[in-house]
Amino acid sequence: MKRLNALLAGAMLSFGALADGLPPTVLQALKAAQIPAANVAVVVQPVDAATPLVAHNAAQPMNPASVMKLVTTYAALDLLGPAWTWKTTAWIDAAPVDGVLNGNLYLKGSGDPRFAIEHLAALLRQLRVRGIAHIAGDVVLDRTAFDVPSIDPGAFDDKPMRPYNVGPDGLLINFRALRFTLLPDNGKPRVLMETPSDNLRVDNQLRSGNGACSSNWKDLITARLIPENGGNRLELTGTYSALCGEKPLNLAPLPADAQAGGLMRSLWKELGGSLAGQVRSGSVATGSQLVAQHESAPLADAVRDINKFSNNVMARQVFLTLGNSTAPGTAERAQQRIGEWLNGRNLRFAELELENGSGLSRRERISAGSLNRLLMDAWKNPVMPEFVSSLPIVGIDGTMKKRLNGTQATGRAHIKTGTLDGVKTAAGYALDAQGRRYAVTFLINHPRSQAGAAAIDALLVWVAERRIGEPAVRLDNE
C-alpha cells in the first residue's frame, strides 16, 4: 500500500496537479504577476478523453476577448461551409451608348470581409472592357446586406482612426483603411500615401523623435481630419524616431462614403474613366442589369486571416453574414442563429453572451468549460482541419509568432489569443511530448491581466513537456 501511495503521489506531481487544480509553474507565474487564482479559469483536456486533465473555475463566465472569434469562425465553417464565398456585383440602369453610361452605376456588397483595392480595381476594369468610359450619373453604393447602426469608432478605446475600430459594412472596401509608409529623411519623417484617395491631402507636420523606436510609436502620432475645399486634409502631428526606419501606418480617417468615393474616383481615373456624378449610398434600382461581379476567396481563407491575425472587422463581417440568410444581417439574427446551432450540437452554453462575435467587447462572456466543449466538438467535426489550421502556431506565425520561441511548445500548439484592458486569454490545441493532443483554454480577467502572459506560456510548455500517456485525475475548483 505504501508503494502504491508513493506511485500515486509521484504521478500527481508529474502532472503538476495541486489542490487548486493548476500546475506549479502556472501558479508560480500567476503569483509573480500578482494575479489571484480566483481571477483565472483553465481547462485542459485530451481530445481523446472523456474528462479534463485540469479544470479550474471552469464554469465561471468571463470576458474572452478575441478568443470569442473561435465561436464565430467555427459556427461559420459548419453552417456555411469552408467553400462559401461572397459576391460583390456591379449593375447599371441604362445601356451604355458610345462609351457613355447615361445613368447610375450600382456597386452592391454582400458583406465580403476581404474586398480590397485590387478587387475593386479588377471589378472596374470589367466595366471598362465592356465599353463604359464615362459615367454620367452617380456611383451608388448598396450596403443593404447588413442592417447595422452607425457606431462611434472612438467609443471603445478613444482611438477612432485605428482600422480595428471600423464598424461592419455590407460593402466594406479595403477595411475602410488607408495605408501610409513612414520613413526618416534628412531629419524630417516622410509620409508616403500608398492608398489612392481623390480629394484627400496629407498635411505632414511630423517631427523627428529622439532615442530608440518604442513599441508604442503609433501612439506618438496624432491624426486629425479637417474638411478643406470640398475635400479633406489629413493632418499628422507628433514625433517619429529615425531609428524606426521604414514602417507602415494604417489609418481609417474617412467616413464610409468618403473613403469609397475617394478610392473609386482614383481607380476609375487610372483606368481612363470619368465620372460626372457623386459617389453615394443607396440601393440597386429595380430593373437594373448585372454587368460585372467579383467573387471572394473561400470562407476558409477569411477564417484563417481572422484567427491568425485576430482581425476584428473581418470577424464582425462573418458574424453578420450568419445573420443575413433570409434578411439583411443584424447582430440579433446572428446571435439567434449561433444559439440555435449550438443547441443543435448539444452545446448549450447558458452563460454565453455575444455582442459582435469578434471579442472587441466589454459585454461578451463565455466560460472556460464552454470553450473547452466547443474545442472538443470542433475536433470531431468534418471542418476540423480548416478550423485548426486557422489558429496561430506557437512560435511560428500569427499572434503567437514571437511567443515561446525555442521552447518545447514551439510549433506544437495552435493557439488563438485575446487581449483587452483587464483581459488576457488563449485557447486552442496543443501536443504533449508523446504526440497526444489536448484542448487548452486559459482565461484571465484581472486589472493585471497583461502580466499573465507568462502563466499562459507556462501552461503551454507544461503540456508540451508531458510524457505520461494517461490523463491524471480531474481536479475541479468550482
Side-chain angles (χ1 to χ4, degrees), residues 443-456:
L443 307 179
I444 305 174
N445 284 191
H446 186 268
R448 292 185 55 80
S449 64
Q450 302 315 308
I456 294 173

Side-chain angles (χ1 to χ4, degrees), residues 74-364:
Y74 177 31
L77 287 169
D78 193 48
L79 287 168
L80 303 176
W84 168 276
T85 58
W86 291 266
K87 293 182 175 64
T88 303
T89 52
W91 305 72
I92 55 176
D93 56 13
V97 178
D98 296 329
V100 177
L101 174 60
N102 288 302
N104 297 328
L105 170 68
Y106 301 88
L107 293 182
K108 182 176 176 60
S110 62
D112 186 349
R114 301 174 74 195
F115 189 68
I117 293 176
E118 58 270 26
H119 305 136
L120 178 59
L123 190 63
L124 295 177
R125 183 174 292 277
Q126 290 184 54
L127 301 177
R128 288 290 288 117
V129 300
R130 283 162 174 75
I132 299 175
H134 177 70
I135 302 171
D138 295 339
V139 174
V140 181
L141 309 172
D142 189 331
R143 313 176 186 279
T144 57
F146 297 158
D147 181 11
V148 290
S150 59
I151 67 167
D152 175 4
F156 188 80
D157 59 4
D158 199 30
K159 296 178 180 179
M161 291 194 188
R162 294 290 174 90
Y164 61 76
N165 277 324
V166 167
D169 189 333
L171 182 60
L172 183 70
I173 301 176
N174 207 53
F175 304 111
R176 204 180 298 169
L178 303 177
R179 178 186 171 93
F180 302 89
T181 295
L182 306 183
L183 64 163
D185 184 26
N186 296 325
K188 178 178 173 58
R190 291 179 63 198
V191 179
L192 308 181
M193 187 170 173
E194 304 281 358
T195 307
S197 184
D198 196 53
N199 290 329
L200 177 68
R201 182 173 70 89
V202 177
D203 183 5
N204 177 18
Q205 299 184 25
L206 290 175
R207 307 183 311 277
S208 289
N210 298 319
C213 182
S214 63
S215 59
N216 68 332
W217 63 269
K218 292 180 183 178
D219 294 332
L220 304 179
I221 298 172
T222 300
R224 190 163 65 109
L225 189 68
I226 304 167
E228 175 186 77
N229 301 326
N232 290 287
R233 172 166 59 94
L234 183 64
E235 181 185 86
L236 298 176
T237 58
T239 60
Y240 182 73
S241 172
L243 296 180
C244 287
E246 182 174 320
K247 285 188 177 296
L249 176 65
N250 294 302
L251 298 173
L254 296 169
D257 283 358
Q259 179 260 348
L263 182 57
M264 169 80 192
R265 288 179 182 276
S266 295
L267 295 177
W268 190 237
K269 284 179 183 178
E270 289 179 8
L271 290 168
S274 56
L275 169 63
Q278 302 176 336
V279 179
R280 58 180 175 83
S281 289
S283 300
V284 175
T286 303
S288 295
Q289 175 188 352
L290 176 67
V291 288
Q293 75 172 16
H294 167 78
E295 185 171 9
S296 74
L299 170 67
D301 287 11
V303 166
R304 188 178 187 277
D305 282 352
I306 289 169
N307 287 334
K308 288 281 188 186
F309 305 104
S310 207
N311 191 301
N312 294 309
V313 182
M314 290 181 67
R316 297 181 73 172
Q317 296 285 117
V318 171
F319 180 72
L320 288 168
T321 297
L322 291 171
N324 76 343
S325 56
T326 58
T330 65
E332 293 75 21
R333 292 193 186 100
Q335 292 159 9
Q336 180 180 359
R337 192 176 185 193
I338 291 176
E340 291 171 350
W341 169 75
L342 288 169
N343 290 341
R345 300 194 66 81
N346 198 29
L347 298 172
R348 293 174 174 83
F349 303 159
E351 84 289 357
L352 177 66
E353 184 170 356
L354 283 165
E355 182 180 14
N356 56 46
S358 75
L360 190 67
S361 166
R362 294 296 178 189
R363 284 176 39 200
E364 293 195 327

